[in-house]
Amino acid sequence: MKRRMINSLLGVVLVVVAVFCVPLALIEKQTIVNAANDRVDAVAVRVLGLVESRLAAGEPVSGEKFTAVVTGDDYHVTVDIPGQPQIALGHPVQGDALTATETGASGETVTAAQSRTALDHEIGNMLLLLGVVALLAVQAAVALAVWQAKRLARPLTDLAETAERLGSGDPRPQGRRYGVPELDRIAEVLDTSAERIARMLTAERRLAADASHQLRTPLTALSMRLEEITALAEDPRTVREEAAIGLQQVERLTDVVQRLLTNQRDPNSPTAVTFGLDEVVKQQVEEWGPTLRDGGRRLVIEGLHGARVVGTPGTVSQVLATLIENSLMHGAGTITLRVRRSGSS
């Protein structure tokens, strides 16, 4: 991309330089030639004026009288007066020359010539100057093209790196802007996508952690309930009671799974309801009763009764089950569950 941008801009500059410099060189060359012709004409006119003035005054015409008019070594002037020998001023011109001829009223003729050496030298200087200007313009265009190519290529490189990081699982947004509306729009879309991917990954990790944590306790309780049923297989009445409690645990497990999936789909969805706290506590007593008895432990309920609270029953039940399980695993003696009011909670 950089090479294409540099070549494109350089091509445009070369075309502009060619379109500008070639006509300018032709015009300047013609201007220099016309100015040189005008100078030669001026010399011829001045000499002719002097000749006519001396002839009108009846004075002799000689070359010494016109020496001041013909200045420089590149002019050669000849004066032809009828009935008089030709008068020559300056050095003869070798090679190509610019000439101008003027004729007076008395038939006198003045011819001025100038060597093209000075003219060619002036044209060469003009072309050299134009060439230097064109070269500087091309160099400036190359520098500008390289700078502009880097300026436009760097954002594309950053955007490619951002897309590659997104594909590799690194959703951190860059937040870079480049002052180019199209590139800034792409960067904004990529940053938005990165934030969305980050939220999705966070939700997936939270779902995995929550599922691991919240399903472990109900499954443990259900496993112990099934073991209890197996141990009491000879008493159908007890088996039915234990099976009913096991079904309640399965329903609670289903509620936990449903709540996890709901939170995954819509984390902002409301789940709080008004429920009786005694039902949740009773459920925990029934679930953990056999395990507590087998371990020589007991669960004591104290404090308020008949309290109604606003919240998520499954979450409260899960918290209580986790605390009871931790007490069984890491504690000893009686487990006390106390219900009390604290401010608005």
Side-chain angles (χ1 to χ4, degrees):
M1 178 180 176
K2 291 182 181 179
R3 185 177 301 173
R4 290 182 179 179
M5 293 182 62
I6 293 173
N7 292 338
S8 298
L9 186 55
L10 185 58
V12 172
V13 172
L14 289 177
V15 171
V16 172
V17 168
V19 171
F20 175 75
C21 288
V22 172
L24 181 61
L26 296 176
I27 294 173
E28 286 295 321
K29 178 182 178 181
Q30 189 60 43
T31 301
I32 294 173
V33 172
N34 292 339
N37 287 325
D38 291 340
R39 289 194 297 271
V40 174
D41 287 339
V43 171
V45 169
R46 287 199 300 272
V47 172
L48 178 62
L50 291 176
V51 171
E52 287 183 338
S53 62
R54 295 191 69 81
L55 290 176
E59 297 179 357
V61 178
S62 61
E64 292 80 2
K65 302 297 182 179
F66 311 116
T67 303
V69 178
V70 182
T71 58
D73 296 334
D74 53 349
Y75 283 105
H76 179 70
V77 179
T78 58
V79 180
D80 294 313
I81 301 175
Q84 296 185 17
Q86 184 183 65
I87 301 173
L89 304 174
H91 300 284
V93 177
Q94 303 294 330
D96 295 335
L98 298 174
T99 59
T101 301
E102 298 290 338
T103 302
S106 301
E108 66 276 9
T109 301
V110 176
T111 301
Q114 182 186 23
S115 175
R116 292 187 62 93
T117 302
L119 177 63
D120 294 339
H121 182 69
E122 187 175 358
I123 293 175
N125 290 338
M126 180 270 297
L127 294 177
L128 179 62
L129 179 61
L130 283 180
V132 171
V133 172
L135 181 60
L136 292 177
V138 171
Q139 290 180 345
V142 170
L144 179 62
V146 172
W147 175 78
Q148 188 71 9
K150 290 182 178 179
R151 179 174 177 269
L152 294 179
R154 184 173 60 253
L156 296 179
T157 302
D158 292 343
L159 295 177
E161 292 178 354
T162 301
E164 183 178 0
R165 288 192 303 100
L166 291 178
S168 62
D170 183 5
R172 292 174 300 174
Q174 292 291 330
R176 296 178 182 175
R177 298 298 181 266
Y178 308 99
V180 180
E182 294 79 4
L183 296 177
D184 288 347
R185 174 58 180 164
I186 296 175
E188 182 179 355
V189 171
L190 284 178
D191 287 345
T192 303
S193 300
E195 293 176 356
R196 188 180 302 115
I197 293 173
R199 288 194 298 268
M200 293 173 59
L201 292 176
T202 302
E204 290 181 359
R205 296 188 184 101
R206 184 172 61 247
L207 175 62
D210 290 347
S212 166
H213 181 71
Q214 297 189 29
L215 295 179
R216 179 172 55 85
T217 300
L219 287 174
T220 301
L222 181 59
S223 176
M224 291 187 296
R225 185 63 58 185
L226 293 175
E227 292 177 356
E228 189 75 15
I229 293 174
T230 303
L232 300 174
E234 297 179 356
D235 187 354
R237 180 181 175 183
T238 305
V239 169
R240 283 194 299 272
E241 293 178 355
E242 296 294 334
I245 297 175
L247 289 175
Q248 293 178 1
Q249 292 174 335
V250 170
E251 292 177 358
R252 187 164 66 88
L253 186 61
T254 302
D255 180 68
V256 171
V257 173
Q258 183 64 32
R259 187 173 66 255
L260 289 173
L261 294 178
T262 301
N263 292 337
Q264 171 67 12
R265 288 192 296 266
D266 187 6
N268 299 321
S269 61
T271 58
V273 295
T274 301
F275 64 95
L277 192 59
D278 289 349
E279 295 296 326
V280 176
V281 174
K282 179 180 177 182
Q283 181 186 31
Q284 297 301 316
V285 172
E286 292 176 351
E287 289 184 3
W288 293 99
T291 305
L292 291 170
R293 288 193 298 270
D294 293 343
R297 311 278 295 278
R298 65 193 187 96
L299 178 62
V300 177
I301 309 300
E302 297 179 355
L304 297 176
H305 293 281
R308 299 190 62 80
V309 298
V310 177
T312 305
T315 302
V316 176
S317 178
Q318 179 63 35
V319 170
L320 292 177
T322 302
L323 294 174
I324 294 173
E325 181 186 17
N326 290 339
S327 299
L328 285 171
M329 295 177 59
H330 307 292
T334 302
I335 300 174
T336 303
L337 176 59
R338 182 177 297 108
V339 180
R340 63 184 176 86
R341 183 181 300 276
S342 176
S344 60
S345 302

